[in-house]
Amino acid sequence: MKPLPDYNHSVVEQLNVLTASGELKADPAQLEVAAQLDRILTDLKIRKPAKKKSALGWMFAKKAGLAHSAKGLYVHGSVGRGKTMLMDMFYQLAPIEKKRRCHFHEFMADVHNRVHAHRQKLKNGETKQADPIPPVAAQLLAEAELLCFDEFTVTDIADAMILARLFTELFAHGCTLVTTSNVVPDNLYKDGLNRSLFLPFVDMLKAHVQVVSLDSPTDYRMEKIKSLPVYVTPLGDASDRAMDVAWKELTAGSAAEPTEITMKGRIIPVPRAVGRAARFSFSELCEKPLGASDFLAIADRFDTVFIDHIPLLNADKRNETKRFIILIDAFYDHTVRVFASAAAMPEDLLVTRKGTEGFEFDRTASRLFEMRSADYLALHNEKRPAT
C-alpha cells in the first residue's frame, strides 16, 4: 500500500483516495467503520484533558475532576476484512500524543509484569499500596490516554479476572479504547472458567465503546495470500526475497516487533510479530530447548508463521529433526498457515532416514505439502481461533 495521505485527512478520505487510485475496492462496510473512526478523531480533538497530570495524582482524586473521554470503538468481524488497515489509518491520524497501539496479548503481558513489579515493591517495603491495580492503571494512563488493540481476545482466566478492575480505573479517568476482534463482546471469554465474574467487564466495555460489525463480503487477505508462494526452495537470495515480499504483503507493511509468550513461568521469545503473524528462523524454533507445549502455545497465539532457512536434516541434527516434526504436527493440528524457505522440497529435507524419525518424517513431508494447498488455506481461514 502506498504511504497514507497526510495528517489532516480523515479515515474516510484516505479510503476514498486509495479507492480512486485503484489500490482498494470500494467497500461500504469499510466506509461505515471509517466514519465511526472519524467521529472518534473529532471527539479526541475537543476532549477535555485530565486535570491530574502525574501518574499517581488521579488515584486520590476520588470523585473530583475526572477527565472526559471520547467514546471508543469495538470493531468485530471475520478475518481479512480490513480491520487492521483501518486501525492503521486511525492511529496515524489520532490527534493525541499519549497513545499506544499493540496486540491485546502484548498489552496483558505488560499489565501482568507491572502487577508483579508492584507486588515486589510491596514485599520489599517500597510501597504501602496493597492493591496493585490503581497504580498500574495510573502508569498506563500516564503513558497512553488512547489505547488501540489488535485482536481483542480473552482466553486466560488471569486476564479475565483483572480486566474489569483495570478498565474501571482507565475508563473513569479518561481512557479511550479502540479495538478490533473476531467476535462480538458478548462472546468474549465464552465458556471460560468462572465466566460470570467476567460479565461485568463486558457490560462496562459496551458502555464505553460503540460496537460495530465489519462484515465485508470479500476476504481481502485471502485474495492476497492465494497469489503468494508459501514454500520456496532452494535457500539463497531469491528465496529470502520471496519470503520478505510475502511477509510484507501479509502484514500490509506494518513494522514487526519482538514479543514474548509467557508459558508456565517461562518465556518463549518471538523475534518478529505483527498481529497474529510471527516470523522465526529454523534455528530459533528447532535449535532451542522447545517442546510440544511451546509449539502449541505459538500455534494458539499466532495463526500465520514464517519459518526461514530450513536446512537439510542429517544424522547430526536428530534433535532438531524431532522438534521440527513436533512443530509441524502442532501447526497442522491448529491449521496454522506456514510460509517456509527450505534447502529442498519436503520429501528431500531428511537426508538420513533412520529409526522412528524416518517414519515420522514421511508424515511431516505430507503435511507440508498439504499445508500449501487451497483446501488447507480455506480450512485455516475457517477454523482460526475466535478472538
Side-chain angles (χ1 to χ4, degrees), residues 74-94:
Y74 183 108
V75 185
H76 66 89
S78 301
V79 297
R81 265 58 182 182
K83 298 190 297 293
T84 298
M85 175 190 69
L86 293 170
M87 179 75 89
D88 287 340
M89 294 177 177
F90 167 79
Y91 187 78
Q92 177 180 308
L93 294 171

Side-chain angles (χ1 to χ4, degrees), residues 269-284:
V270 181
R272 283 170 286 183
V274 176
R276 290 187 63 83
R279 189 168 182 178
F280 301 84
S281 67
F282 175 87
S283 64
E284 289 164 340

Side-chain angles (χ1 to χ4, degrees), residues 15 22 51 60 65 80 85 90 135 149 159 173 198 207 248 253 258 263 275 305 309 321-322 333 344-345 360 375:
L15 278 182
K51 292 183 178 181
F60 308 103
M85 175 190 69
F90 167 79
F149 294 151
D159 292 351
H173 294 89
F198 174 75
K248 184 177 180 180
M263 177 72 179
V305 175
H309 304 150
T321 301
K322 287 183 176 180
D333 290 341
M345 295 299 287
E360 291 177 343
D375 288 343

Side-chain angles (χ1 to χ4, degrees), residues 222-273:
M222 176 73 85
E223 288 190 341
K224 291 180 179 180
I225 292 177
K226 283 180 179 177
S227 63
L228 297 175
V230 297
Y231 191 99
V232 290
T233 186
L235 296 177
D237 292 341
S239 61
D240 288 345
R241 285 194 298 270
M243 290 287 281
D244 289 342
V245 168
W247 174 259
K248 184 177 180 180
E249 188 70 35
L250 190 78
T251 61
S254 299
E257 295 183 354
T259 187
E260 297 175 338
I261 299 174
T262 303
M263 177 72 179
K264 296 180 180 178
R266 297 189 302 106
I267 297 296
I268 304 171
V270 181
R272 283 170 286 183

Side-chain angles (χ1 to χ4, degrees), residues 19 49 95 122 136 201 212 215 264 274 308 329 331 347 349 370:
T19 300
L122 180 65
V136 166
F201 168 73
V212 296
D215 284 328
K264 296 180 180 178
V274 176
D308 290 293
D329 282 345
F331 286 179
E347 70 274 20
L349 281 175
E370 185 178 347

Side-chain angles (χ1 to χ4, degrees), residues 166-214:
L166 178 66
F167 274 89
T168 294
E169 299 284 349
L170 293 176
F171 284 144
H173 294 89
C175 183
T176 297
L177 174 65
V178 177
T179 186
T180 67
S181 182
N182 289 353
V183 298
V184 297
D186 287 333
N187 285 341
L188 289 169
Y189 197 52
K190 189 176 182 180
D191 301 323
L193 185 65
N194 294 325
R195 187 171 187 264
S196 60
L197 300 177
F198 174 75
L199 294 179
F201 168 73
V202 175
D203 293 335
M204 177 177 59
L205 176 65
K206 291 191 291 186
H208 286 86
V209 298
Q210 182 75 30
V211 180
V212 296
S213 172
L214 181 52

